[in-house]
Amino acid sequence: AWGCFDEFNRIPVEVLSVVSAQIKTIQTALSEGFKRFTFEGREIALVSTVGIYITMNPGYAGRAELPDNLKALFRPVVMCVPNLGMICENMLMSEGFGAAKMLALKMTVLYKLAEAQLSKQYHYDFKLRALKSVLVMAGGLKRAAPEFDESTILMRALRDMNMPKFIYADVPLFRGLIGDLFPGLDCPRVRYPSFNDAVEQALDESGFQMLEIQIDKVVQLYETLMTRHTTMVVGPTGGGKTVALGTLCRAQTIANLPTKQFIINPKAQPIPELYGSLDPATRDWTDGLLSNIFRDMNKPVAEGKDERRYIVYDGDVDAVWVENMNSVMDDNKLLTLPNGERIRLVPYVKLLVEVFDLQYASPATISRCGMVYVDPKDLGYEPYLWTWANGRTIEGEGDVLRGLFAKYVSPLLELILEGIEDGEQGARLLHVIPIPNISMAQQLCQLLASMLTSELNITDPATIESVFIFCLTWSLGGQLVDASQEQFDSCLKKLAELPIIENRSEEHT
């Protein structure tokens, strides 16, 4: 019997000292050639071929340093960097690719160049697990369409598996790298007829504007979930992460694949309350929030039915809680609880993480997950304004508001965010605290909603514009520092064709 204790240095130091004494007892009995020996007060049999192995990755948060008396019981073996080229070639060959040697070289060169030339982001990973997921997808494509050109199949797999995770600025760079390594090849994005139609229907039913970039982001998430059972949706506030997740679930339900999502904030409670705790004195087990949810989600589906269940971790990712999920996120798909219970992740359950960034996540966690980056620059603030104006019930008000949004909001946000006024570049305006542009748009709409009520029934366009200017001042301009407020005030009055009084004292009188 060989036992491998994975991530051994995540065990608390006080437990490690007990383990050290236990292993010492076993090793002493082996050296003496005993067939039976006393272990923890009980006499048990000893098989001479028993093997105890540990794996550990030093240096991460939440890791303990092994005590010296425990280190002395093990022979250290260092693991070297894998030969990616050889692994790619063998996997491509096993997936049925004839030109495996040439394609493996192209693939490893692409990942090497991407790591060197693209921007440094916490969620980027160009190592073995990322390569493996691409190879698995390429194998699936090869079997589905064996008559296709092998270079085109691999190029499509590389593009579709990597593009979702890139930030706005890195997309053209990666396209250029793929174009150089696969010259003359152009494979259009595959459309999934029933799913794409369901996505459009889901967005329409929710009252959202139909945007190609939004639909494509949902499709990217759908494709990533085909090859990964754990996916992280990463991006700043206001990019559309929640909308993408919700639309995916609704679209799959429309396409006759009922999808449920259970949202949990992993940072809202201590670790014992999340995973459960075992009383060291009485050995009483108290079930945790996540362990309970995990058990329920992995219950069998009714016979003859097909469905998807998503556990969504909506909160910061750090080594304190997420490292406990490593064995679930990798190929083991196994959650081991402190009471010894093991829950295996079934194929119809997926793990999703919705997070701002992965600054505090370890490389071990990042490499185990599929990544979909939702960039606010792709969406902007216009869709939010369009959707809000579309939902106004007073007749004709939506059209007036859309005209005012075009007249005021775009130039004012250009001034605030870029420092551009009348086509001339200047210094951007300063906020008291950083605030996304969509948050400013949301504040504007909320102020307008509180003033343009159905009871007041304001229909005169000039009156609506007066209210609009007041709301602009306190939403877009409300968080600006004093010096920037004067510049904002001047720009707003120019747009509204209001008189500008240069002398402050004159204005006061």
Side-chain angles (χ1 to χ4, degrees), residues 435-452:
I435 180 167
N437 53 7
I438 196 167
S439 295
M440 289 187 269
Q442 285 171 335
Q443 287 180 13
L444 171 62
C445 292
Q446 284 164 7
L447 268 175
L448 285 167
S450 68
M451 299 190 75
L452 299 173

Side-chain angles (χ1 to χ4, degrees), residues 272-277 285-289 291-292 295 337 341:
E273 288 182 24
L274 188 65
Y275 291 103
S277 59
W285 168 250
T286 306
D287 211 15
L289 186 61
S291 55
N292 193 284
R295 203 179 291 109
L337 299 173
E341 182 186 359

Side-chain angles (χ1 to χ4, degrees), residues 168-201:
Y168 187 83
D170 284 337
V171 170
L173 288 169
F174 188 77
R175 285 190 192 277
L177 289 174
I178 279 200
D180 291 344
L181 284 164
F182 297 92
L185 292 183
D186 183 32
C187 177
R189 286 276 286 138
V190 173
R191 193 179 192 278
Y192 306 90
S194 59
F195 181 71
N196 279 60
D197 292 342
V199 170
E200 290 173 15
Q201 185 184 332

